[in-house]
Amino acid sequence: MRELAPQVLGALVRRYGHFDACEDAVQEALLAASQQWPRDGVPDQPRAWLITVASRRLTDHLRSEEARRRREETVALEVPMTDGDSGTPQDADDSLLLLFLCCHPSLNRAAQIALTLRAVGGLTTDEIARALLVPEETMRKRITRAKQAVRASGALFRPPPAAELPARLAAVLQVLYLIFNEGYTSIDRVDLAEEAIRLSRLTYRLLPDHGEVAGLLALMLLTHARRAARTTASGDLIRLDEQDRTRWDADAIAEGTALVTAAMTRTALGPYQVQAAIAALHDEAVTAETTDWPQIVALYDLLIRFDDTPVALLNRAVAVAMVQGPRAGLTLIDSVADDPRLTNHHRVAVARAHLLELAGDLPQALEAYLIAARRTTSLPEQRYLNTRAARLRNNLGR
């Protein structure tokens, strides 16, 4: 149902418009499915079942108002719901079209990203707030305003004109990146990561000569290639330098490397290409010890010219530590930690703990691991960080 929800929402919005009402109808259909499917079995065509049920809920609502009834009939005539006479719901990838609709020019960038993460990514308000480093209540209001703006604009669900693609593309790429990142870091949300890759492939087919589209797809492939080696059989996290690299997906690494190499050679350079190049250097290293850290530092120096986010600066600090020593990295982390967007964020404490451990300051490393474990909301990360802390506590004889 996580996979089908954005496709069903897209199918309804394509036919009827009315984004907010369509979302409510899809939620009602999903609720009905959660009650009926366990009892009666999953239907042969679950997507068609959900579209049918959601459409019934929506038309009941639309017919209650004369103006909306007329709009429903008009849009239904303009955009058929089925392919020919087959009666099969049209599958022109409504989720990709929904992605571009949510990035409508009538919305500001923050609203575009929040709405798309909710509608296409299926993330909760809390997950979106954490991904964007803002309070949950702020994000809730932002999503509500975005839905109201789409409704007020009367935006119909159809492919945007070619002239509008550049204006929408930056938001589309950022949303795809955030969806992938949430799926990858959550461990148990493989569906999100794979959906982000699927939508990125479709976007790449739409714009094959755009360097940043290729760069983002490459970044996802190169990162996702390590998934099988990221956890133990019991689901515990394994740090990058301790992973069994023979379990990495060689085909995904080859595809991602080829994509980013071609993009950096032929097109204007951008931040996703730089991040993909960093990921490629990690993936190409046979062992953790042979990682080309000086080149990674150079790429981070280039990345922050495009995007000096606190997370990029934090990652650069760790890379510098691998070249110049942990104390140099800790100094840089201290300068980043004051950024209000990282207040009480577990990433700062994780980086500090790792570098303090490398520096041999085990008491301070233990404290940093415990702070990070308290701050993260991810159960796998909590287990990992508490395990590291327990190991240090044993070494210290506590």
Side-chain angles (χ1 to χ4, degrees):
M1 285 194 280
R2 280 182 187 152
E3 177 184 348
L4 292 174
Q7 298 179 32
V8 175
L9 177 59
L12 261 67
V13 179
R14 171 164 52 82
R15 182 180 185 185
Y16 298 104
H18 307 292
F19 184 95
D20 223 8
C22 288
E23 188 178 41
D24 290 341
V26 171
Q27 291 301 318
E28 290 184 29
L30 292 171
L31 177 60
S34 70
Q35 295 170 340
Q36 295 182 37
W37 292 2
R39 182 186 67 234
D40 303 334
V42 178
D44 292 336
Q45 294 183 313
R47 180 177 181 273
W49 189 97
L50 288 168
I51 288 175
T52 300
V53 172
S55 295
R56 288 172 182 164
R57 301 287 199 278
L58 183 62
T59 52
D60 287 344
H61 171 71
L62 294 179
R63 283 170 180 160
S64 66
E65 299 180 32
E66 184 68 16
R68 292 194 179 191
R69 186 185 64 77
R70 288 198 300 268
R71 179 175 176 79
E72 172 202 351
E73 292 172 350
T74 300
V75 178
L77 289 172
E78 288 179 357
V79 188
M81 190 75 164
T82 59
D83 286 329
D85 299 323
S86 67
T88 303
Q90 191 176 33
D91 193 11
D93 212 296
D94 292 319
S95 49
L96 181 62
L97 294 180
L98 181 61
L99 177 64
F100 275 90
L101 173 68
C102 291
C103 294
H104 194 275
S106 65
L107 303 177
N108 62 36
R109 175 64 60 81
Q112 290 173 339
I113 293 169
L115 184 61
T116 312
L117 288 173
R118 185 75 183 89
V120 182
L123 303 189
T124 65
T125 304
D126 177 58
E127 288 172 333
I128 299 170
R130 284 190 284 108
L132 297 178
L133 304 179
V134 299
E136 183 178 355
E137 184 58 28
T138 299
M139 186 52 61
R140 192 183 312 281
K141 292 177 181 177
R142 188 177 296 174
I143 292 172
T144 299
R145 287 195 298 267
K147 290 178 182 179
Q148 292 170 345
V150 170
R151 183 169 62 247
S153 71
L156 293 179
F157 190 63
R158 51 175 59 112
E164 287 187 11
L165 283 177
R168 301 194 190 192
L169 187 60
V172 167
L173 295 183
Q174 186 172 1
V175 164
L176 288 174
Y177 174 78
L178 291 170
I179 292 173
F180 174 82
N181 195 54
E182 181 65 30
Y184 188 75
T185 57
S186 297
I187 306 299
D188 59 344
R189 296 297 303 273
V190 181
D191 58 313
L192 277 182
E194 292 179 343
E195 178 67 2
I197 291 173
R198 186 182 73 84
L199 291 172
S200 295
R201 286 192 186 280
L202 291 172
T203 308
Y204 177 66
R205 286 181 210 160
L206 184 66
L207 298 165
D209 297 322
H210 195 288
E212 282 294 81
V213 174
L216 178 59
L217 177 56
L219 174 61
M220 291 182 183
L221 291 170
L222 291 162
T223 305
H224 198 64
R226 311 179 203 131
R227 177 173 286 279
R230 291 185 69 223
T231 58
T232 64
S234 58
D236 293 328
L237 284 172
I238 303 174
R239 204 166 63 190
L240 178 63
D241 58 346
E242 297 173 349
Q243 291 177 14
D244 178 0
R245 299 181 179 225
T246 63
R247 299 186 63 198
W248 289 359
D249 187 337
D251 290 339
I253 292 172
E255 182 183 1
T257 301
L259 275 170
V260 69
T261 300
M264 295 179 79
T265 302
R266 301 196 310 260
T267 67
L269 194 61
Y272 291 118
Q273 295 170 64
V274 177
Q275 291 179 75
I278 293 171
L281 286 173
H282 282 295
D283 288 4
E284 290 171 346
V286 178
T287 65
E289 292 72 25
T290 59
T291 303
D292 190 349
W293 285 109
Q295 181 65 16
I296 289 175
V297 171
L299 286 170
Y300 271 119
D301 289 340
L302 181 59
L303 176 61
I304 61 178
R305 295 181 190 175
F306 291 106
D307 189 10
D308 61 344
T309 63
V311 173
L313 293 169
L314 191 61
N315 290 338
R316 178 184 177 275
V318 174
V320 168
M322 298 300 108
V323 178
Q324 300 179 16
R327 291 296 174 187
L330 286 165
T331 299
L332 291 175
I333 288 175
D334 289 340
S335 66
V336 176
D338 293 334
D339 191 298
R341 290 170 291 180
L342 290 177
T343 301
N344 295 324
H345 201 288
H346 75 285
R347 288 183 182 178
V348 176
V350 170
R352 281 183 53 81
H354 176 50
L355 297 189
L356 285 166
E357 186 176 0
L358 289 178
D361 190 344
L362 301 190
Q364 290 297 317
L366 169 60
E367 182 181 350
Y369 276 126
L370 292 174
I371 291 172
R374 289 195 298 269
R375 289 178 178 174
T376 184
T377 58
S378 166
L379 291 178
E381 282 189 334
Q382 286 178 0
R383 289 198 303 268
Y384 166 77
L385 294 166
N386 283 322
T387 298
R388 304 291 296 195
R391 190 184 68 178
L392 291 184
R393 187 180 288 111
N394 290 335
N395 291 340
L396 291 168
R398 295 183 181 179

